[in-house]
Amino acid sequence: MPQLPEVLEGSAAALLTIAPLLPSHASINEVVAQLSPAIARGYFTPEEDELIREKFSKYLTVRAALHSVLMDLKPIIFNQVKPKDAEYAKVFLIAFCTAAMLRRSGRHLIVNFRSNKMIRRKLNEAEPRYGIPRKQFTAIYRSLTSLRNVIIFRQGVNYFEDHRSKIMALEADPKLSPIVELLKLELPYIENNLDDDLKKRLQFRLHSAKRRSMGLIQKTSFSAFKISGRLISEIRNQWKRKRVTPVVQRKLQRFLQPGDVIITRHDDAATNLFLPGFWPHASLYIGSQKERAELDPDNTCPQLQRSEDPKCILEARKDGVLFRELSDTLNVDACTIIRPKLSKEQIRDGIARGMSHEGKEYDFEFDFTRADKLVCTEVVYRAFDGIGDIQFELTNRSGRLCLSAEDLLDSAVDCQHFTVVAVYGSQGNRFFEKETAVQKLIESYRKNND
């Protein structure tokens, strides 16, 4: 077991390293300002989603480090290890300052985001790419308003008031002087917020009750969508031979380049009754290992190494967002290939962003405002939105903001963010390329709107 001087020195050094990394009230306000367009819009773009995830992940890392300092000092504070009075004052200084910083930063987070359902919900989403578990905002809120934690902190405040002169006199110790200065900065927050603890606890109880009620509804709703979605997706004529045969697949493969979006259709799928348009499904061609290596010769995007041949497709289906073989994705009746109008480097970055979502669940609720579960077109949306000139506009369909496969085709037909490479199966078992492909594509899904 480490000796007390070692524990003190290590904890003091850790606290001084961590303290500058804690978000301030000003930095949180800056994030709120950056997210104000999203709040006005009603949803986060992939870029905004990345911003809030990155900031929240850094905060959680700093919070965990501060908590680790407290855990190291806990046996001494609660007298499981008996130090001398002079040594105890040093331990208390570090522990009390650490606890005060935890409470102040947590309070900033809760006060700024508690009333904003959109941000609160986003912070409660799991995001394995950043190591964020589910319901972290709620966990911080619960910890801040826990009656046990409130009582312990109040006891610490009482001890500090009773021994203020002794503790502040530690400023004479060169190693502890910076921590005394940190504590001085925390004192106004401690004194101003102590009387607010019970009010915050009541607010959390109300928030928690409402969240449990909504969570039950959402969980039940998602389960119902998941069961029905799986059943519907499996309703198909298993004896019908697909029109995109292995020979056709090999020809289509010759057209493909990394970053291409593949839009497909099953003639006999029951999901055609529920998904909009002639073309209902999308997937992302990430390329072979060789193609990805050529895109990224300097290995600047480690995500590109996550898939191994022969899996060269990233696709969201009922079993989740997974890497798949081309023969699996092209086991369909019709197919269109469209290509993003981006540079080689931008294609690389988009594929890397898309591949980072591999392993997530399929979103049977088709909710583009959350990023912990994805639908097929959302893979493309989260890969390329915000890269180069690409800005996708989500459309409200049946009360949900989403991007359909035919929305992607629109951007190709209208020469916005994509170009049409090839079409097969829209009118019999035939290939069409370039300008002819554009015309046949228009006829396949826009004819009813003319």
Side-chain angles (χ1 to χ4, degrees):
M1 176 180 289
Q3 298 298 310
L4 183 57
E6 296 175 11
V7 173
L8 278 171
E9 186 171 345
S11 298
L15 180 57
L16 292 174
T17 301
I18 299 164
L21 304 177
L22 262 183
S24 63
H25 197 65
S27 65
I28 291 178
N29 285 341
E30 183 181 343
V31 173
V32 172
Q34 288 176 294
L35 296 177
S36 57
I39 295 169
R41 187 190 312 117
Y43 65 90
F44 296 103
T45 65
E47 273 191 305
E48 291 162 343
D49 191 280
E50 297 290 332
L51 170 66
I52 195 170
R53 299 291 193 171
E54 181 182 353
K55 298 290 186 182
F56 193 46
S57 174
K58 287 180 179 178
Y59 168 68
L60 292 176
T61 300
V62 173
R63 180 181 172 82
L66 287 174
H67 193 262
S68 179
V69 172
L70 277 182
M71 290 301 100
D72 289 342
L73 299 175
K74 183 177 178 181
I76 305 170
I77 290 294
F78 291 99
N79 294 324
Q80 295 167 344
V81 177
K82 300 287 186 182
K84 297 178 181 178
D85 287 346
E87 297 298 314
Y88 185 85
K90 297 177 182 179
V91 173
F92 179 85
L93 168 66
I94 300 170
F96 186 57
C97 186
T98 302
M101 292 170 70
L102 271 170
R103 288 180 61 79
R104 187 252 305 164
S105 61
R107 187 179 292 272
H108 281 341
L109 188 78
I110 299 304
V111 167
N112 277 279
F113 300 140
R114 181 187 63 238
S115 60
N116 190 305
K117 180 181 178 181
M118 189 175 122
I119 296 181
R120 190 178 70 235
R121 182 183 176 190
K122 181 60 63 178
L123 296 181
N124 266 330
E125 279 182 22
E127 181 47 272
R129 296 179 302 151
Y130 288 93
I132 302 175
R134 291 178 64 241
K135 299 182 179 179
Q136 287 304 288
F137 179 86
T138 298
I140 294 167
Y141 202 167
R142 181 185 297 111
S143 175
L144 188 67
T145 58
S146 159
L147 187 58
R148 179 176 179 274
N149 289 346
V150 168
I151 290 172
I152 291 173
F153 191 71
R154 281 177 174 268
Q155 289 173 342
V157 173
N158 292 337
Y159 182 89
F160 173 75
E161 293 299 340
D162 292 341
H163 301 84
R164 179 187 284 257
S165 58
K166 182 192 298 185
I167 293 166
M168 300 307 283
L170 293 171
E171 192 172 17
D173 185 330
K175 292 183 178 179
L176 296 177
S177 177
I179 297 178
V180 174
E181 292 302 316
L182 286 176
L183 181 57
K184 288 179 181 179
L185 296 176
E186 298 297 330
L187 288 179
Y189 294 101
I190 295 171
E191 293 163 357
N192 292 339
N193 294 320
L194 269 177
D195 294 335
D196 205 31
D197 285 333
L198 292 178
K199 179 182 176 182
K200 289 290 186 291
R201 176 165 173 76
L202 177 60
Q203 288 173 338
F204 173 75
R205 296 296 292 270
L206 293 172
H207 160 80
S208 183
K210 184 177 180 181
R211 181 184 55 80
R212 282 196 299 270
S213 175
M214 291 301 297
L216 180 61
I217 294 171
Q218 290 171 354
K219 188 174 181 180
T220 303
S221 173
F222 179 76
S223 297
F225 278 117
K226 185 174 183 179
I227 293 169
S228 61
R230 285 183 179 275
L231 289 173
I232 292 169
S233 67
E234 291 169 0
I235 299 175
R236 189 180 301 158
N237 183 355
Q238 301 298 327
W239 303 104
K240 179 182 178 296
R241 185 186 181 192
K242 292 300 176 185
R243 292 190 287 120
V244 179
T245 64
V247 173
V248 175
Q249 290 179 11
R250 287 192 289 274
K251 186 169 182 179
L252 284 168
Q253 188 170 14
R254 291 197 289 271
F255 287 102
L256 288 168
Q257 295 180 14
D260 285 354
V261 176
I262 304 173
I263 311 293
T264 55
R265 171 185 172 81
H266 290 277
D267 289 340
D268 57 343
T271 49
N272 291 342
L273 299 173
F274 302 95
L275 297 176
F278 180 86
W279 299 97
H281 189 74
S283 58
L284 177 64
Y285 181 70
I286 59 174
S288 64
Q289 287 176 276
K290 180 181 177 181
E291 287 174 317
R292 278 178 271 126
E294 290 172 353
L295 273 180
D296 188 30
D298 298 325
N299 193 26
T300 56
C301 298
Q303 294 286 359
L304 296 177
Q305 302 176 23
R306 290 181 60 176
S307 176
E308 297 181 355
D309 295 340
K311 295 181 178 180
C312 57
I313 300 288
L314 180 66
E315 183 179 7
R317 299 203 309 235
K318 64 182 181 180
D319 54 347
V321 184
L322 300 174
F323 299 127
R324 306 178 194 274
E325 296 183 27
L326 184 63
S327 59
D328 183 16
T329 295
L330 289 182
N331 184 31
V332 294
D333 293 297
C335 168
T336 296
I337 299 171
I338 60 176
R339 182 164 296 151
K341 298 165 72 172
L342 297 172
S343 68
K344 177 181 175 180
E345 291 74 19
Q346 291 168 331
I347 293 284
R348 175 201 64 198
D349 293 344
I351 293 175
R353 260 176 48 173
M355 291 177 70
S356 72
H357 293 281
E358 185 268 337
K360 292 185 176 181
E361 291 184 56
Y362 186 80
D363 186 2
F364 290 92
E365 294 181 275
F366 291 80
D367 186 353
F368 274 61
T369 65
R370 61 188 300 171
D372 55 338
K373 299 179 177 70
L374 273 62
V375 298
C376 63
T377 51
E378 196 172 358
V379 172
V380 180
Y381 172 63
R382 296 199 175 275
F384 290 125
D385 189 82
I387 292 183
D389 294 329
I390 295 181
Q391 297 288 338
F392 295 115
E393 184 176 347
L394 301 185
T395 304
N396 194 317
R397 291 186 173 90
S398 302
R400 297 284 190 188
L401 289 168
C402 62
L403 180 76
S404 73
E406 291 189 355
D407 289 336
L408 293 172
L409 293 181
D410 282 339
S411 67
V413 166
D414 297 334
C415 298
Q416 293 178 340
H417 308 312
F418 294 85
T419 57
V420 179
V421 176
V423 176
Y424 177 85
S426 65
Q427 294 182 11
N429 299 333
R430 299 177 60 190
F431 274 100
F432 301 102
E433 301 177 46
K434 300 180 181 178
E435 291 80 8
T436 306
V438 174
Q439 184 57 42
K440 296 302 181 183
L441 187 57
I442 291 172
E443 293 172 5
S444 72
Y445 78 101
R446 284 188 175 179
K447 58 186 177 182
N448 293 328
N449 297 326
D450 292 342

